[in-house]
Amino acid sequence: MEIWINPACSKCRGALTLLDAEGAEYTVRRYLEDVPSPDEIRAVLDRLGLEPWDITRTQEAEAKELGVREWPRDDGSRERWIEALAGHPKLIQRPIITADDGTAVVARTDEAVRDALGR
């Protein structure tokens, strides 16, 4: 499995602590440094079963500057959201774990991390 993290994020650190405690094998992707491409974001969204606005941190300063809270949330706007996430990775919700079974979870709770471990 792979986990997308921001090391400054307490939720990310908590997820890593839990993965380590469970003896999980995983790779870390510091997504602010190793920015996902639009194609990678699309793939993760497919695995999550979510839309880009579902994983956008709308309270971030960059989100407010872009005005994303006002953007339409429909099929016609999907690519605009994806491009915003690729261009401003700080807006991506974290941590995201991609599980070995091809699924993914936004792992902001211990329960979500355990769910990913069980896949």
Side-chain angles (χ1 to χ4, degrees):
M1 72 178 53
E2 180 177 80
I3 181 169
W4 291 9
I5 68 156
N6 172 353
C9 168
S10 63
K11 299 284 187 187
C12 293
R13 292 191 307 270
L16 292 174
T17 298
L18 183 54
L19 289 173
D20 289 341
E22 295 292 330
E25 291 186 26
Y26 62 92
T27 57
V28 171
R29 180 172 186 169
R30 294 179 178 217
Y31 71 93
L32 296 178
E33 299 163 16
D34 182 8
V35 178
S37 69
D39 284 342
E40 289 174 304
I41 293 169
R42 280 186 212 93
V44 163
L45 288 168
D46 287 346
R47 292 175 81 166
L48 288 166
L50 297 174
E51 293 297 336
W53 45 85
D54 296 326
I55 65 162
T56 300
R57 298 173 55 85
T58 59
Q59 297 301 317
E60 291 287 336
E62 290 178 40
K64 290 177 181 177
E65 288 172 22
L66 293 170
V68 297
R69 290 186 73 160
E70 310 306 318
W71 291 3
R73 297 176 182 213
D74 57 27
D75 286 344
S77 301
R78 190 172 198 265
E79 286 304 309
R80 181 182 186 190
W81 285 84
I82 291 170
E83 291 295 329
L85 293 172
H88 305 273
K90 200 175 209 181
L91 300 182
I92 299 172
Q93 189 58 265
R94 71 229 177 203
I96 293 176
I97 297 176
T98 54
D100 292 336
D101 71 351
T103 62
V105 296
V106 178
R108 295 190 56 77
T109 65
D110 287 354
E111 182 178 282
V113 174
R114 285 190 181 94
D115 181 44
L117 285 168
R119 294 179 182 202

